[in-house]
Amino acid sequence: MNAAAGKAATSWHEAVIERIEPLTPRIASVRLKAPLAQPVAGQHVDVRLTAEDGYSAQRSYSIASAPSAPHIELMIEKLDDGEVSPYFHDVAQAGDTIEVRGPLGGHFIWSPADGGPLLLIAGGSGLAPLMAMVRAWRDAGSETPLMLVYSARTWAELAFVEELQQLQVQAPEHFLFVAVTTRESPRRAGDLGRRLNAAQLQGLLSRWAQVPRHVYVCGSNAFVEAVTDGLLLADVAAAAIRTERYGGTESTLNPKIGVQT
Ligand SMILES: Cc1cc2nc3c(=O)[nH]c(=O)nc-3n(C[C@H](O)[C@H](O)[C@H](O)COP(=O)(O)OP(=O)(O)OC[C@H]3O[C@@H](n4cnc5c(N)ncnc54)[C@H](O)[C@@H]3O)c2cc1C
């Protein structure tokens, strides 16, 4: 990134909320029009809200839209007792303005030129940066083998399933989408109905029949820890794994894994 782009990415800009719509009962798609540079898949923006009395709060949200999209799409999960996320579910409306800066982050990123095989593992709203990677892969017409393993409690809590299933129909030889529902039986052949562990990850890797060159894991601390521990037990190289954590339970993440905080 050159100095001017770097400065632009760390300066605050006004963004207009174009659209807010539910993706799942707890996750909203928030579409912004903002004068930001084109992101790399996996990057995030910082969002700043300021009250009339001057109090302000800022949080980071990954960019879920394709890098080439004319807008920025965020996937914001509502934490009932949270300060910022409920605003996007209960208060904000199309036409409102907020402040954003970015795109930010230089570690948890993937471009089609990086190749693969590419293994993406998401828990809940952790899908956001991985969705940007899937969309970048799709838009580039990439033939890099890609397996997306996406976990939520129930099928209804999985976002973008139609888009993901359609992609699997369009590119069955290159794209494998496995849904994991931890509180519901699997819906499709090949999906899983329990929490991911080493044995299940090993089974998925055998079925995929690829050795992943790049692995991206995103979700809560607990999810990322369970998955990375399982991947290491399943003999995935630590150097191939990158993680991004959205909070939740305290972490004792394996120090061998690449972490972005
Ligand atoms: C790089 C990055 C990307 C991210 N991308 C996404 C994304 O795509 N989608 C997404 O939904 N989230 C994402 N997050 C998480 C997001 O930044 C926020 O952390 C999340 O939305 C919660 O913010 P909040 O203001 O609603 O909750 P907060 O007010 O921050 O509260 C979070 C939790 O902490 C508890 N808490 C807060 N203050 C205290 C206190 N003083 N004492 C005890 N408990 C407290 C609250 O009760 C709540 O359960 C990302 C985070 C990072 C770092």
Side-chain angles (χ1 to χ4, degrees):
M1 192 191 298
N2 65 35
K7 186 164 184 290
T10 54
S11 306
W12 291 100
H13 303 272
E14 192 167 276
V16 180
I17 298 175
E18 286 191 328
R19 193 190 72 186
I20 302 180
E21 62 181 29
L23 291 172
T24 75
R26 303 209 63 81
I27 299 177
S29 159
V30 177
R31 210 154 106 170
L32 303 173
K33 191 85 189 157
L36 303 183
Q38 180 166 319
V40 179
Q43 286 190 299
H44 65 274
V45 292
D46 286 345
V47 164
R48 181 163 73 181
L49 306 179
T50 304
E52 278 175 14
D53 64 3
Y55 175 77
S56 74
Q58 75 183 59
R59 298 289 184 273
S60 301
Y61 292 102
S62 297
I63 299 168
S65 35
S68 60
H71 54 259
I72 298 283
E73 180 180 29
L74 309 179
M75 282 177 70
I76 302 187
E77 179 173 2
K78 181 178 179 182
L79 300 188
D80 289 325
D81 55 353
E83 198 172 37
V84 170
S85 60
Y87 166 83
F88 289 97
H89 289 258
D90 303 334
V91 181
Q93 293 182 348
D96 289 352
T97 58
I98 58 173
E99 287 178 290
V100 295
R101 66 177 179 189
L104 299 166
H107 174 72
F108 197 81
I109 54 174
W110 181 84
S111 295
D114 296 332
L118 180 60
L119 173 58
L120 308 178
I121 307 182
S125 57
L127 178 70
L130 308 188
M131 196 64 202
M133 294 178 194
V134 169
R135 287 167 164 167
W137 175 91
R138 175 198 64 199
D139 291 353
S142 174
E143 296 192 348
T144 294
L146 195 175
M147 175 161 70
L148 170 69
V149 182
Y150 175 24
S151 177
R153 281 176 292 198
T154 64
W155 184 264
E157 289 172 89
L158 294 166
F160 298 121
V161 273
E162 276 177 30
E163 186 174 334
L164 294 168
Q165 285 182 286
Q166 196 183 350
L167 203 48
Q168 185 154 13
V169 170
Q170 283 166 359
E173 66 281 24
H174 306 305
F175 182 71
L176 177 58
F177 162 46
V178 177
V180 180
T181 46
T182 56
R183 294 199 191 160
E184 217 174 63
S185 302
R187 187 166 286 204
R188 306 172 309 158
D191 286 344
L192 301 176
R194 47 173 298 191
R195 284 170 180 270
L196 290 168
N197 59 22
Q200 291 183 321
L201 289 163
Q202 181 68 68
L204 290 174
L205 287 165
S206 304
R207 199 170 107 210
W208 190 34
Q210 303 283 344
V211 176
R213 179 160 164 234
H214 302 299
V215 184
Y216 295 83
V217 184
C218 187
S220 67
N221 283 331
F223 177 83
V224 170
E225 281 177 42
V227 169
T228 49
D229 286 349
L231 287 169
L232 294 175
L233 286 169
D235 284 333
V236 173
I241 305 172
R242 293 179 216 202
T243 64
E244 187 158 84
R245 296 174 285 155
Y246 286 178
T249 51
E250 281 305 306
S251 170
T252 53
L253 195 68
N254 190 313
K256 284 187 285 185
I257 307 296
V259 181
Q260 171 161 317
T261 52

mmCIF file of all heavy atoms in Angstrom, residues 201-225:
data_model
loop_
_atom_site.group_PDB
_atom_site.id
_atom_site.type_symbol
_atom_site.label_atom_id
_atom_site.label_comp_id
_atom_site.label_asym_id
_atom_site.label_seq_id
_atom_site.Cartn_x
_atom_site.Cartn_y
_atom_site.Cartn_z
ATOM 1 N N LEU A 201 -12.850 -32.947 10.896
ATOM 2 C CA LEU A 201 -12.035 -32.190 9.944
ATOM 3 C C LEU A 201 -11.211 -33.139 9.076
ATOM 4 O O LEU A 201 -11.081 -32.947 7.868
ATOM 5 C CB LEU A 201 -11.136 -31.202 10.693
ATOM 6 C CG LEU A 201 -11.911 -30.030 11.310
ATOM 7 C CD1 LEU A 201 -11.085 -29.323 12.375
ATOM 8 C CD2 LEU A 201 -12.336 -29.033 10.227
ATOM 9 N N GLN A 202 -10.679 -34.186 9.716
ATOM 10 C CA GLN A 202 -9.923 -35.185 8.964
ATOM 11 C C GLN A 202 -10.812 -35.830 7.906
ATOM 12 O O GLN A 202 -10.408 -36.018 6.754
ATOM 13 C CB GLN A 202 -9.382 -36.247 9.927
ATOM 14 C CG GLN A 202 -8.555 -37.327 9.259
ATOM 15 C CD GLN A 202 -7.230 -36.782 8.727
ATOM 16 O OE1 GLN A 202 -6.362 -36.414 9.510
ATOM 17 N NE2 GLN A 202 -7.098 -36.696 7.413
ATOM 18 N N GLY A 203 -12.057 -36.144 8.288
ATOM 19 C CA GLY A 203 -13.001 -36.748 7.340
ATOM 20 C C GLY A 203 -13.292 -35.812 6.171
ATOM 21 O O GLY A 203 -13.346 -36.236 5.010
ATOM 22 N N LEU A 204 -13.461 -34.525 6.458
ATOM 23 C CA LEU A 204 -13.736 -33.561 5.385
ATOM 24 C C LEU A 204 -12.543 -33.428 4.452
ATOM 25 O O LEU A 204 -12.692 -33.355 3.229
ATOM 26 C CB LEU A 204 -14.076 -32.183 5.989
ATOM 27 C CG LEU A 204 -15.416 -32.092 6.718
ATOM 28 C CD1 LEU A 204 -15.559 -30.729 7.394
ATOM 29 C CD2 LEU A 204 -16.566 -32.307 5.732
ATOM 30 N N LEU A 205 -11.334 -33.418 5.033
ATOM 31 C CA LEU A 205 -10.134 -33.288 4.198
ATOM 32 C C LEU A 205 -9.981 -34.509 3.293
ATOM 33 O O LEU A 205 -9.613 -34.379 2.120
ATOM 34 C CB LEU A 205 -8.896 -33.109 5.082
ATOM 35 C CG LEU A 205 -8.783 -31.726 5.745
ATOM 36 C CD1 LEU A 205 -7.754 -31.750 6.865
ATOM 37 C CD2 LEU A 205 -8.402 -30.673 4.711
ATOM 38 N N SER A 206 -10.295 -35.691 3.828
ATOM 39 C CA SER A 206 -10.198 -36.908 3.003
ATOM 40 C C SER A 206 -11.198 -36.841 1.856
ATOM 41 O O SER A 206 -10.890 -37.184 0.715
ATOM 42 C CB SER A 206 -10.478 -38.154 3.824
ATOM 43 O OG SER A 206 -9.619 -38.209 4.913
ATOM 44 N N ARG A 207 -12.410 -36.398 2.169
ATOM 45 C CA ARG A 207 -13.444 -36.317 1.134
ATOM 46 C C ARG A 207 -13.078 -35.301 0.056
ATOM 47 O O ARG A 207 -13.278 -35.528 -1.130
ATOM 48 C CB ARG A 207 -14.755 -35.906 1.805
ATOM 49 C CG ARG A 207 -15.974 -36.220 0.981
ATOM 50 C CD ARG A 207 -17.196 -35.998 1.838
ATOM 51 N NE ARG A 207 -17.901 -34.807 1.433
ATOM 52 C CZ ARG A 207 -18.609 -34.042 2.220
ATOM 53 N NH1 ARG A 207 -18.699 -34.302 3.493
ATOM 54 N NH2 ARG A 207 -19.235 -33.002 1.753
ATOM 55 N N TRP A 208 -12.494 -34.204 0.491
ATOM 56 C CA TRP A 208 -12.102 -33.136 -0.447
ATOM 57 C C TRP A 208 -10.932 -33.605 -1.321
ATOM 58 O O TRP A 208 -10.787 -33.176 -2.466
ATOM 59 C CB TRP A 208 -11.725 -31.903 0.373
ATOM 60 C CG TRP A 208 -11.513 -30.632 -0.378
ATOM 61 C CD1 TRP A 208 -12.163 -30.199 -1.500
ATOM 62 C CD2 TRP A 208 -10.574 -29.598 -0.033
ATOM 63 N NE1 TRP A 208 -11.691 -28.960 -1.874
ATOM 64 C CE2 TRP A 208 -10.717 -28.562 -0.989
ATOM 65 C CE3 TRP A 208 -9.641 -29.429 0.981
ATOM 66 C CZ2 TRP A 208 -9.961 -27.395 -0.949
ATOM 67 C CZ3 TRP A 208 -8.900 -28.267 1.028
ATOM 68 C CH2 TRP A 208 -9.052 -27.269 0.065
ATOM 69 N N ALA A 209 -10.076 -34.457 -0.733
ATOM 70 C CA ALA A 209 -8.910 -35.019 -1.444
ATOM 71 C C ALA A 209 -7.940 -33.942 -1.926
ATOM 72 O O ALA A 209 -7.389 -34.040 -3.019
ATOM 73 C CB ALA A 209 -9.363 -35.905 -2.602
ATOM 74 N N GLN A 210 -7.775 -32.900 -1.107
ATOM 75 C CA GLN A 210 -6.803 -31.841 -1.408
ATOM 76 C C GLN A 210 -5.965 -31.590 -0.159
ATOM 77 O O GLN A 210 -6.444 -31.763 0.964
ATOM 78 C CB GLN A 210 -7.507 -30.520 -1.755
ATOM 79 C CG GLN A 210 -8.478 -30.595 -2.908
ATOM 80 C CD GLN A 210 -7.780 -30.632 -4.258
ATOM 81 O OE1 GLN A 210 -6.592 -30.321 -4.374
ATOM 82 N NE2 GLN A 210 -8.512 -31.028 -5.294
ATOM 83 N N VAL A 211 -4.737 -31.149 -0.365
ATOM 84 C CA VAL A 211 -3.919 -30.684 0.769
ATOM 85 C C VAL A 211 -3.983 -29.165 0.749
ATOM 86 O O VAL A 211 -3.501 -28.531 -0.195
ATOM 87 C CB VAL A 211 -2.452 -31.157 0.619
ATOM 88 C CG1 VAL A 211 -1.604 -30.584 1.748
ATOM 89 C CG2 VAL A 211 -2.395 -32.672 0.607
ATOM 90 N N PRO A 212 -4.624 -28.556 1.760
ATOM 91 C CA PRO A 212 -4.808 -27.105 1.681
ATOM 92 C C PRO A 212 -3.490 -26.347 1.785
ATOM 93 O O PRO A 212 -2.662 -26.641 2.638
ATOM 94 C CB PRO A 212 -5.713 -26.798 2.878
ATOM 95 C CG PRO A 212 -5.542 -27.942 3.797
ATOM 96 C CD PRO A 212 -5.197 -29.140 2.966
ATOM 97 N N ARG A 213 -3.342 -25.376 0.883
ATOM 98 C CA ARG A 213 -2.145 -24.538 0.936
ATOM 99 C C ARG A 213 -2.416 -23.298 1.782
ATOM 100 O O ARG A 213 -1.527 -22.780 2.440
ATOM 101 C CB ARG A 213 -1.764 -24.143 -0.495
ATOM 102 C CG ARG A 213 -0.554 -23.260 -0.571
ATOM 103 C CD ARG A 213 0.057 -23.311 -1.976
ATOM 104 N NE ARG A 213 0.966 -22.198 -2.145
ATOM 105 C CZ ARG A 213 0.895 -21.327 -3.145
ATOM 106 N NH1 ARG A 213 -0.024 -21.441 -4.064
ATOM 107 N NH2 ARG A 213 1.777 -20.352 -3.228
ATOM 108 N N HIS A 214 -3.655 -22.827 1.728
ATOM 109 C CA HIS A 214 -4.046 -21.667 2.544
ATOM 110 C C HIS A 214 -5.313 -22.042 3.314
ATOM 111 O O HIS A 214 -6.285 -22.511 2.711
ATOM 112 C CB HIS A 214 -4.356 -20.459 1.669
ATOM 113 C CG HIS A 214 -3.223 -20.040 0.794
ATOM 114 N ND1 HIS A 214 -2.009 -19.624 1.298
ATOM 115 C CD2 HIS A 214 -3.115 -19.982 -0.553
ATOM 116 C CE1 HIS A 214 -1.201 -19.317 0.300
ATOM 117 N NE2 HIS A 214 -1.846 -19.531 -0.836
ATOM 118 N N VAL A 215 -5.297 -21.806 4.620
ATOM 119 C CA VAL A 215 -6.462 -22.102 5.457
ATOM 120 C C VAL A 215 -6.812 -20.834 6.230
ATOM 121 O O VAL A 215 -5.941 -20.234 6.875
ATOM 122 C CB VAL A 215 -6.156 -23.238 6.458
ATOM 123 C CG1 VAL A 215 -7.414 -23.589 7.258
ATOM 124 C CG2 VAL A 215 -5.606 -24.462 5.747
ATOM 125 N N TYR A 216 -8.071 -20.426 6.176
ATOM 126 C CA TYR A 216 -8.536 -19.236 6.900
ATOM 127 C C TYR A 216 -9.671 -19.677 7.819
ATOM 128 O O TYR A 216 -10.633 -20.306 7.374
ATOM 129 C CB TYR A 216 -9.044 -18.176 5.929
ATOM 130 C CG TYR A 216 -7.952 -17.612 5.030
ATOM 131 C CD1 TYR A 216 -7.566 -18.283 3.874
ATOM 132 C CD2 TYR A 216 -7.312 -16.419 5.349
ATOM 133 C CE1 TYR A 216 -6.560 -17.775 3.061
ATOM 134 C CE2 TYR A 216 -6.303 -15.905 4.546
ATOM 135 C CZ TYR A 216 -5.936 -16.586 3.397
ATOM 136 O OH TYR A 216 -4.939 -16.089 2.601
ATOM 137 N N VAL A 217 -9.529 -19.327 9.095
ATOM 138 C CA VAL A 217 -10.538 -19.716 10.087
ATOM 139 C C VAL A 217 -11.029 -18.440 10.768
ATOM 140 O O VAL A 217 -10.221 -17.644 11.259
ATOM 141 C CB VAL A 217 -9.942 -20.656 11.157
ATOM 142 C CG1 VAL A 217 -11.031 -21.133 12.113
ATOM 143 C CG2 VAL A 217 -9.228 -21.835 10.515
ATOM 144 N N CYS A 218 -12.341 -18.238 10.812
ATOM 145 C CA CYS A 218 -12.863 -17.008 11.415
ATOM 146 C C CYS A 218 -14.142 -17.293 12.198
ATOM 147 O O CYS A 218 -15.022 -18.005 11.727
ATOM 148 C CB CYS A 218 -13.141 -15.973 10.322
ATOM 149 S SG CYS A 218 -13.593 -14.353 10.982
ATOM 150 N N GLY A 219 -14.228 -16.709 13.390
ATOM 151 C CA GLY A 219 -15.410 -16.856 14.232
ATOM 152 C C GLY A 219 -15.064 -16.405 15.641
ATOM 153 O O GLY A 219 -14.124 -15.624 15.845
ATOM 154 N N SER A 220 -15.808 -16.907 16.623
ATOM 155 C CA SER A 220 -15.536 -16.550 18.019
ATOM 156 C C SER A 220 -14.211 -17.183 18.454
ATOM 157 O O SER A 220 -13.710 -18.118 17.812
ATOM 158 C CB SER A 220 -16.655 -17.071 18.916
ATOM 159 O OG SER A 220 -16.619 -18.490 18.915
ATOM 160 N N ASN A 221 -13.662 -16.700 19.561
ATOM 161 C CA ASN A 221 -12.427 -17.293 20.087
ATOM 162 C C ASN A 221 -12.561 -18.798 20.251
ATOM 163 O O ASN A 221 -11.679 -19.558 19.850
ATOM 164 C CB ASN A 221 -12.100 -16.694 21.467
ATOM 165 C CG ASN A 221 -11.507 -15.308 21.345
ATOM 166 O OD1 ASN A 221 -10.860 -14.985 20.364
ATOM 167 N ND2 ASN A 221 -11.739 -14.488 22.349
ATOM 168 N N ALA A 222 -13.666 -19.230 20.868
ATOM 169 C CA ALA A 222 -13.837 -20.658 21.151
ATOM 170 C C ALA A 222 -13.881 -21.469 19.865
ATOM 171 O O ALA A 222 -13.277 -22.539 19.763
ATOM 172 C CB ALA A 222 -15.113 -20.876 21.964
ATOM 173 N N PHE A 223 -14.595 -20.950 18.869
ATOM 174 C CA PHE A 223 -14.698 -21.658 17.585
ATOM 175 C C PHE A 223 -13.327 -21.765 16.926
ATOM 176 O O PHE A 223 -12.910 -22.842 16.482
ATOM 177 C CB PHE A 223 -15.680 -20.915 16.665
ATOM 178 C CG PHE A 223 -15.797 -21.517 15.287
ATOM 179 C CD1 PHE A 223 -16.636 -22.594 15.056
ATOM 180 C CD2 PHE A 223 -15.055 -21.016 14.230
ATOM 181 C CE1 PHE A 223 -16.730 -23.164 13.790
ATOM 182 C CE2 PHE A 223 -15.138 -21.575 12.966
ATOM 183 C CZ PHE A 223 -15.986 -22.646 12.742
ATOM 184 N N VAL A 224 -12.604 -20.646 16.879
ATOM 185 C CA VAL A 224 -11.304 -20.630 16.200
ATOM 186 C C VAL A 224 -10.333 -21.576 16.905
ATOM 187 O O VAL A 224 -9.578 -22.315 16.264
ATOM 188 C CB VAL A 224 -10.754 -19.188 16.132
ATOM 189 C CG1 VAL A 224 -9.303 -19.177 15.659
ATOM 190 C CG2 VAL A 224 -11.618 -18.343 15.198
ATOM 191 N N GLU A 225 -10.365 -21.591 18.223
ATOM 192 C CA GLU A 225 -9.465 -22.488 18.962
ATOM 193 C C GLU A 225 -9.786 -23.948 18.690
ATOM 194 O O GLU A 225 -8.893 -24.756 18.427
ATOM 195 C CB GLU A 225 -9.570 -22.214 20.457
ATOM 196 C CG GLU A 225 -8.777 -20.991 20.840
ATOM 197 C CD GLU A 225 -8.934 -20.661 22.310
ATOM 198 O OE1 GLU A 225 -8.922 -21.587 23.126
ATOM 199 O OE2 GLU A 225 -9.084 -19.477 22.606
#
